[in-house]
Amino acid sequence: MSVADDRGSSMSTITNGSTTGATTTEPILRVRDLHVRFPTPRGTVHAVRGVDLELRRGEVLGIVGESGSGKSVTSMAVLGLLPDTTEVSGSVELDGEELLGRSDKQMSRLRGHKVAMVFQDPLSAFTPVYTIGDQIAETVRLHRGASKAEARARAIELLELVGIPEPGRRVDAFPHEFSGGMRQRAMIAMAMANDPDVILADEPTTALDVTIQAQIIEVLRTAQRETGAALVFVSHDLGVIAGIADRIAVMYAGRIVETATAEELFARPRMPYTIGLIGALPRLDASDRSPLVPIPGAPPSLIGLPDACPFADRCPLVSAVCRSTEPVLAPPVDVVPGADTAAAGTARTVPVGHTAACHRTAEVAAAHADAGRIFSLPVIPDHSARIEATRTDREPVVHVEGLTKTFPLVKGSVFRRKVGDVYAVDGVDLDIRRGETLGLVGESGSGKSTTLHQLMDLERPEAGTVELFGESLADATARGAAGTRALRQRISMVFQDPSASLDPRMSVYDVVAEPLRAVGAPSSRIADRVPELLELVGLRAAEADRYPHEFSGGQRQRISIARALAVEPDLVVLDEPVSALDVSIQAGVLNLLAELKARLGLSYLFVSHDLSVIRHVADRVSVMYLGRTVEEGAVDEVFERPMHPYTAALMSAVPVPDPVVERARRTILLPGDPPSPTERPTGCRFRSRCPLYALLPEDERRRCEQEEPEKAPRRGEDVDHRAACHYPEKVPSIAA
């Protein structure tokens, strides 16, 4: 459904149904026994081990798995884009033609014509010195023999089709002049330029905001519908896969370990690894804060794998046969138990096409795919007894009102002059009480990180008030270095990328000890405290002499958390702490944070673009848009009854890892990107993208244009849930 007003504002709501219509029975792409080996100084890495795939016209195949499982390498092998030193064997047939063994020149005639690819990072995929239009037109001219004028017209047509505003003008823009979402749209336009038979999309929505992600997924649906192509969608996000895929292949250690239709795989997974991946995901539609499923350990090295199940060292159902023989991919031995054991049950018909590489599928079936009955879940203590019953009785930790931060906009290389201001933060309110987690959400550029830096820098705000632990920041800084030092011991931070935030030249012992040395702790105290902290975050004290690069990503983040807890802070600020981690590792870190909060009585300010994570960890949530707080309240109240159109759009764009639920939901697509923070618009700053504004009568629109809304509760309702919208009672209508 689309609604547009005479001013150009628009809103779309879409139902996340299946992307395909009827599919032909003959595969357009057939992969048989694909092996990919990379020679290295340490030995040969067997990155892809005997992969078999079939893809029919109009079908969407989702490929999921942890980093290093072989997803992207499989896609690159199909297109012949791997380095010359790579050993590739097996068979890849496209419409009956064998692709393996062809020269790069021969493959170039097919790439972009019969098979196309959408890369993960469009900025590096586009050539920076050519315009977007020239690069799309080049594809049309090479494969269709079109004239320059015809190719340019086709480029404009494609940019319009994928939703680029003013395509006749933007066709002459360079890649750096597009936002991340627009670059990905342009990449999809290039992929569909010649109506290919197959489109390979390699993590096309990774690192994008949920609103932009929803736009990209809808553009991919459009591309598939317009071209009739089959689509291979590679992703680590099972929620995205649940909404778009017809069939799913789960990869682990270079091979497919389970495959089935999307509905069958999510409802009845038969491989413990698949169950772990699904159980590790926090869900937007679940208010339950029970522990997530942490898959122990890490994927094995792909050098010299033994003849055994590669998941054996991480599997809770491992047996002797798992360590002696690698299971083949076959229909699972599936039963419906009639008693306590699977052996006493009766056979259940396994749908055609559901296969799993596991020796223990009968035991998995007996557990009814319940991750809690297969994996060991941590016991997180109840911390409710540590805090008072009501928020108003608890000690305030952070109280911010009207926080503002601007940066000068300058031009000129020799004689620099100010030409304007960047309103990075322009009216932020935060309220955190003892033992509470506040989730801070919003699109990239909304001012979340700047807000964190303002708190952590402990400098007087440009405007507004900041109170930490009941004391005004202005009063604390007036006491000089002593006042600032006292506050710094009570606040610490965990950064997004532990690889960048941990000094590679320092041992883990020195990394964790650094905050203690900064506050003048004696050596004896440091020697006792560092092992204690490592044990607290689930690491061995004996590993303190190792360096950060010797640990996995999840372990490095645990080291970062140990460092943050070194001086026993009251508030921990977490800036996207799990966004760079696989879901299996993310689950372990989130469980650890919940356990530490309960045991130590910590307060968290948790920033994330993943609203499912926020729903799982936060007690309260604050939503930011263009530097301003637009909604705040208890997390369950805000997520279930949003009062601001922006919040409602954010919630609708977050995928749910359940095909039945996801395809019945409606997504509110926000047009375009947020406005530039160099301008301070009159009235409501969200109205240029607001789906509710497009539905309002003229007199009510005028209020949005002229009057900036103040945060207020719904009439006659809880004052703790507030939103900056003139018409919060009409928000539910935008998805109807």
Side-chain angles (χ1 to χ4, degrees):
M1 170 182 124
S2 293
V3 181
D5 76 331
D6 55 359
R7 299 163 191 259
S9 297
S10 64
M11 178 273 285
S12 301
T13 62
I14 61 170
T15 302
N16 302 329
S18 175
T19 60
T20 68
T23 58
T24 59
T25 55
E26 191 65 26
I28 184 67
L29 178 68
R30 180 182 279 116
V31 177
R32 287 284 178 268
D33 196 29
L34 180 67
H35 290 262
V36 178
R37 298 175 175 87
F38 296 101
T40 72
R42 297 183 294 113
T44 299
V45 176
H46 201 168
V48 175
R49 304 183 302 120
V51 164
D52 295 329
L53 291 174
E54 286 189 353
L55 190 64
R56 291 166 175 77
R57 291 185 186 275
E59 186 178 34
V60 180
L61 173 67
I63 303 180
V64 299
E66 293 173 288
S67 301
S69 60
K71 308 184 301 295
S72 297
V73 175
T74 299
S75 301
M76 294 293 189
V78 169
L79 274 176
L81 293 177
L82 295 172
D84 294 337
T85 56
T86 309
E87 301 172 18
V88 183
S89 62
S91 173
V92 177
E93 291 184 4
L94 179 65
D95 202 12
E97 298 181 31
E98 180 61 52
L99 301 187
L100 290 191
R102 292 196 176 197
S103 67
D104 186 64
K105 185 175 182 180
Q106 291 172 323
M107 288 298 296
S108 294
R109 298 192 185 101
L110 294 176
R111 299 186 197 118
H113 181 210
K114 298 195 71 173
V115 58
M117 189 157 189
V118 179
F119 295 93
Q120 178 175 348
D121 183 7
L123 185 59
S124 60
F126 278 116
T127 303
V129 296
Y130 293 101
T131 66
I132 292 287
D134 285 344
Q135 295 183 64
I136 297 175
E138 180 186 28
T139 303
V140 178
R141 293 182 65 195
L142 284 175
H143 294 293
R144 292 190 174 186
S147 65
K148 284 187 176 181
E150 292 170 335
R152 178 181 171 85
R154 175 63 172 163
I156 294 173
E157 176 190 349
L158 289 165
L159 291 177
E160 183 177 18
L161 189 63
V162 298
I164 298 294
E166 302 180 83
R169 182 176 66 86
R170 303 309 292 267
V171 72
D172 295 318
F174 289 89
H176 72 273
E177 298 179 282
F178 276 24
S179 67
M182 290 175 65
R183 280 194 294 267
Q184 196 63 286
R185 286 168 178 260
M187 177 62 64
I188 295 171
M190 181 183 291
M192 61 188 291
N194 295 295
D195 300 328
D197 295 323
V198 178
I199 297 176
L200 304 174
D202 183 17
E203 300 271 10
T205 61
T206 298
L208 298 178
D209 289 313
V210 290
T211 52
I212 307 301
Q213 173 180 274
Q215 295 174 12
I216 297 305
I217 291 173
E218 179 59 17
V219 170
L220 280 170
R221 288 190 176 107
T222 301
Q224 188 192 24
R225 183 170 60 248
E226 294 291 326
T227 63
L231 175 64
V232 178
F233 195 103
V234 176
S235 179
H236 67 277
D237 191 330
L238 282 164
V240 172
I241 291 293
I244 196 171
D246 300 302
R247 289 188 302 117
I248 299 175
V250 181
M251 292 193 69
Y252 184 78
R255 64 175 300 208
I256 293 174
V257 295
E258 186 164 10
T259 182
T261 64
E263 291 82 356
E264 172 70 11
L265 188 88
F266 278 88
R268 285 172 288 276
R270 289 297 174 259
M271 169 69 183
Y273 177 62
T274 307
I275 293 175
L277 288 180
I278 296 172
L281 285 172
R283 292 181 55 145
L284 184 77
D285 59 344
S287 59
D288 184 14
R289 307 294 199 283
S290 58
L292 301 171
V293 176
I295 302 178
S301 169
L302 297 179
I303 299 176
L305 276 174
D307 183 17
C309 176
F311 190 60
D313 289 341
R314 308 174 72 189
C315 182
L317 299 180
V318 63
S319 64
V321 67
C322 303
R323 299 192 183 278
S324 61
T325 307
E326 184 167 10
V328 298
L329 190 65
V333 177
D334 208 355
V335 295
V336 178
D340 291 337
T341 63
T346 58
R348 184 183 77 86
T349 301
V350 178
V352 175
H354 190 168
T355 57
C358 181
H359 294 300
R360 308 295 301 275
T361 55
E363 289 82 354
V364 175
H368 297 285
D370 181 356
R373 296 174 62 180
I374 295 175
F375 289 86
S376 297
L377 300 183
V379 177
I380 297 177
D382 183 9
H383 73 288
S384 58
R386 298 179 59 100
I387 59 178
E388 291 80 2
T390 61
R391 291 191 74 244
T392 54
D393 294 331
R394 284 182 250 153
E395 174 192 347
V397 174
V398 175
H399 185 73
V400 175
E401 287 188 5
L403 182 65
T404 299
K405 177 63 178 179
T406 59
F407 297 97
L409 185 65
V410 297
K411 292 184 69 174
S413 55
V414 178
F415 300 102
R416 299 176 68 79
R417 64 190 188 281
K418 180 180 176 180
V419 295
D421 291 293
V422 177
Y423 301 98
V425 174
D426 193 21
V428 167
D429 303 327
L430 301 174
D431 185 34
I432 308 175
R433 300 300 176 105
R434 184 168 63 87
E436 189 172 67
T437 299
L438 175 67
L440 190 60
V441 301
E443 294 172 292
S444 299
S446 61
K448 303 186 302 295
S449 295
T450 303
T451 299
L452 298 190
H453 293 156
Q454 286 294 101
L455 290 179
M456 297 303 296
D457 287 344
L458 299 181
E459 296 178 354
R460 292 193 180 194
E462 185 177 312
T465 60
V466 177
E467 294 181 3
L468 299 174
F469 312 106
E471 181 183 16
S472 167
L473 182 58
D475 293 341
T477 54
R479 291 190 283 116
T484 303
R485 190 180 305 113
L487 284 179
R488 289 200 184 281
Q489 287 189 238
R490 303 187 69 180
I491 306 176
S492 61
M493 189 166 184
V494 177
F495 296 91
Q496 178 176 355
D497 185 0
S499 298
S501 61
L502 300 178
D503 192 328
R505 300 165 298 179
M506 296 172 65
S507 69
V508 168
Y509 182 96
D510 290 330
V511 166
V512 177
E514 187 177 25
L516 293 166
R517 292 182 177 131
V519 298
S523 299
S524 58
R525 171 60 176 156
I526 294 174
D528 293 336
R529 182 67 173 152
V530 170
E532 176 187 320
L533 287 165
L534 293 177
E535 297 287 349
L536 184 66
V537 298
L539 298 174
R540 292 191 295 271
E543 299 174 326
D545 60 345
R546 295 168 60 187
Y547 288 83
H549 73 273
E550 300 179 76
F551 293 85
S552 67
Q555 289 174 320
R556 284 195 292 267
Q557 197 61 294
R558 288 172 180 264
I559 295 168
S560 297
I561 295 170
R563 178 179 61 182
L565 298 177
V567 293
E568 302 182 30
D570 295 306
L571 172 68
V572 179
V573 177
L574 302 120
D575 186 11
E576 301 272 9
V578 295
S579 63
L581 305 177
D582 282 314
V583 292
S584 56
I585 300 169
Q586 169 186 283
V589 173
L590 292 178
N591 288 341
L592 172 65
L593 290 172
E595 181 181 354
L596 293 173
K597 175 184 172 182
R599 291 175 57 185
L600 305 177
L602 298 171
S603 300
Y604 292 146
L605 175 56
F606 197 113
V607 175
S608 179
H609 70 276
D610 189 334
L611 276 76
S612 299
V613 170
I614 292 296
R615 179 72 188 266
H616 184 78
V617 304
D619 302 300
R620 291 172 52 78
V621 63
S622 180
V623 184
M624 289 185 64
Y625 183 78
L626 210 62
R628 188 167 188 257
T629 302
V630 296
E631 187 162 2
E632 61 187 6
V635 67
D636 291 338
E637 173 70 16
V638 172
F639 276 57
E640 292 171 11
R641 302 176 65 223
M643 293 170 57
H644 197 283
Y646 179 60
T647 308
L650 287 180
M651 305 303 174
S652 76
V654 179
V656 174
D658 184 327
V660 177
V661 175
E662 177 62 17
R663 294 174 187 185
R665 297 172 69 232
R666 289 187 177 273
T667 299
I668 303 168
L669 295 180
L670 295 180
D673 299 311
S676 170
T678 60
E679 300 177 1
R680 182 184 271 172
T682 59
C684 175
R685 60 193 66 192
F686 182 59
R687 72 176 187 275
S688 63
R689 303 173 72 202
C690 180
L692 180 59
Y693 176 82
L695 302 175
L696 295 174
E698 184 66 29
D699 58 333
E700 293 183 349
R701 283 188 198 166
R702 196 174 299 114
R703 184 183 181 193
C704 297
E705 295 163 5
Q706 299 174 356
E707 182 183 337
E708 184 171 4
E710 297 294 331
K711 291 199 306 297
R714 279 193 185 95
R715 188 174 302 171
E717 294 196 7
D718 184 8
V719 295
D720 191 45
H721 182 191
R722 302 184 301 162
C725 179
H726 292 305
Y727 307 105
E729 69 281 356
K730 297 185 179 183
V731 169
S733 66
I734 62 178

